[in-house]
Amino acid sequence: MISKKGALYISIPLLIISILTILFFATDFVFSATHTSTASLTPEWTDGNTFVNFDVEICNDITSVDPINEIRIYKHSEYSGVTCDSEPGWGKEEIFGYCIYENNTAELIDPGECTTFDFNATTPITDGVRTWHFETRDIDEEWHPIYDTTTVDETPPVTNKTYGIPHYTNETSEWISNNTQVRLSAYDPEPHPSGVNVTLWRNTLVDN
């Protein structure tokens, strides 16, 4: 038979072991996310049905604990012919659905540093904002999904033309003189206005 005093002696070590076990798993859980990363994808705007070379800059936040030694680029289902370029110091493997870059050397992405990875793809034919999925993994095998967007803009700008004076019209024609000022104004309409890059014009003379 175990006395109350003996039971107390047994229960105290068990209590200490239980507390230490809880603290171990709790701190492991709290500190398991040992890095924070971001992705910046360029170009932000593309034409539709166009072969494009994309750059994604992967950064390891300055507050991270561990360096990053693995990058994954997940292939977007709406883009065709996605291939990843080689990056010096990183081993590359292309698997169905994504590319893996691994680095077990000194050329890791340390906290506060960034590395750019290139990949190529043919853009969709329709307008729209598409989200790309990336992933970073550190030397403790902790991983982070990260995302950035790029937009396909297939809607051309709208150009408006107005005349100064003299300016004459009838039901079928318009007349201006050599002194008439012609004003062109353009805007890029919704749903994905990337802006107007340039406005081109041509002047053609016709016989009276």
Side-chain angles (χ1 to χ4, degrees):
M1 178 178 295
I2 300 176
S3 65
K4 291 183 179 180
K5 188 174 181 179
L8 181 61
Y9 289 146
I10 295 174
S11 60
I12 290 176
L14 290 176
L15 178 62
I16 294 174
I17 292 173
S18 299
I19 293 173
L20 291 175
T21 302
I22 292 172
L23 287 174
F24 173 80
F25 285 107
T27 54
D28 184 65
F29 176 78
V30 171
F31 296 108
S32 62
T34 53
H35 80 278
T36 301
S37 54
T38 58
S40 180
L41 181 62
T42 55
E44 296 183 20
W45 300 87
T46 65
D47 293 327
N49 195 31
T50 303
F51 182 78
V52 177
N53 175 254
F54 291 95
D55 294 334
V56 57
E57 185 183 53
I58 303 295
C59 293
N60 193 1
D61 193 81
I62 190 67
T63 61
S64 298
V65 175
D66 286 335
I68 295 171
N69 70 335
E70 182 178 321
I71 307 295
R72 296 190 180 192
I73 298 175
Y74 288 88
K75 299 180 180 181
H76 200 292
S77 60
E78 294 187 68
Y79 289 72
S80 60
V82 180
T83 57
C84 298
D85 296 341
S86 298
E87 177 67 24
W90 293 76
K92 184 196 70 172
E93 183 178 3
E94 297 205 30
I95 300 175
F96 179 79
Y98 58 93
C99 303
I100 298 178
Y101 292 90
E102 292 183 292
N103 194 329
N104 295 315
T105 68
E107 299 295 327
L108 306 177
I109 306 178
D110 291 317
E113 295 184 351
C114 301
T115 298
T116 299
F117 298 86
D118 299 335
F119 64 94
N120 308 290
T122 299
T123 60
I125 63 175
T126 56
D127 284 8
V129 179
R130 273 79 175 189
T131 300
W132 284 81
H133 176 197
F134 309 98
E135 186 177 291
T136 57
R137 301 191 176 208
D138 61 34
I139 57 176
D140 286 334
E141 294 298 325
E142 303 297 339
W143 57 275
H144 279 282
I146 47 179
Y147 305 90
D148 200 12
T149 61
T150 185
T151 302
V152 174
D153 182 9
E154 275 293 284
T155 304
V158 176
T159 302
N160 295 317
K161 178 176 65 176
T162 59
Y163 296 107
I165 55 175
H167 174 221
Y168 308 99
T169 64
N170 62 19
E171 294 180 355
T172 60
S173 303
E174 293 180 298
W175 291 270
I176 60 175
S177 75
N178 291 335
N179 298 321
T180 304
Q181 187 178 58
V182 180
R183 300 182 184 90
L184 300 176
S185 61
Y187 68 95
D188 196 17
E190 297 290 346
H192 306 293
S194 58
V196 177
N197 182 38
V198 63
T199 298
L200 303 176
W201 63 278
R202 181 174 59 186
N203 183 31
T204 302
L205 298 178
V206 296
D207 295 331
N208 293 331

